[in-house]
Amino acid sequence: MTYLVVFDSDEWSVGQDVLVASLAAEWPDAAIHRRQPPEGSKVRDIEWQLERGGEQVEGHTHVDGRCIYLDGDIGLVADLALWYRKLVPKDIDVVFCDDGYSFDTTIDDTTTKDDLVAASGA
């Protein structure tokens, strides 16, 4: 299943360099790839694969710097969602959902991994 961590802001976004540096610092085992997306493409300017304790996740970004897509084991997905939240200013709402929008929950300072796993229904 594909999960999204997304926020809506016309004035702020997570820059590529910030995302890559933070990803590499927090998840040093991640295989990170910068891509030049085809003309008109909205996704996959940064892709990564991560494995931890038997869990795997593939992630990629939306080119506008306001969304990441995560496909993989929910425990690791939840950890990545919480990590991404730290990159976004606290006054901007960040939402965790699936690609079918069958659930959504706001991630804030009090949100835990268990909260996100429970919200996902996994």
Side-chain angles (χ1 to χ4, degrees):
M1 175 176 293
T2 301
Y3 300 93
L4 288 74
V5 187
V6 62
F7 63 92
D8 186 24
S9 174
D10 292 331
E11 295 149 15
W12 200 87
S13 65
V14 178
Q16 282 186 352
D17 292 338
V18 169
L19 184 102
V20 169
S22 180
L23 188 60
E26 185 76 21
W27 310 97
D29 294 334
I32 305 166
H33 309 281
R34 288 183 186 241
R35 304 274 189 231
Q36 183 62 42
E39 182 77 26
S41 177
K42 302 278 189 207
V43 296
R44 296 189 182 272
D45 60 339
I46 300 170
E47 299 176 334
W48 64 93
Q49 296 82 36
L50 178 60
E51 184 175 340
R52 181 190 67 191
E55 294 181 309
Q56 296 180 341
V57 168
E58 291 186 11
H60 62 274
T61 58
H62 193 279
V63 296
D64 69 5
R66 295 183 185 110
C67 181
I68 61 171
Y69 301 83
L70 303 167
D71 189 11
D73 296 296
I74 187 60
L76 188 50
V77 163
D79 285 339
L80 282 159
L82 292 170
W83 156 78
Y84 187 72
R85 175 61 184 117
K86 295 175 191 173
L87 301 179
V88 181
K90 292 181 182 191
D91 63 330
I92 298 175
D93 288 340
V94 175
V95 175
F96 178 65
C97 60
D98 67 356
D99 60 350
Y101 300 101
S102 63
F103 77 90
D104 66 87
T105 189
T106 301
I107 305 172
D108 62 27
D109 290 350
T110 65
T111 306
T112 66
K113 176 179 179 173
D114 289 340
D115 294 335
L116 298 180
V117 171
S120 75

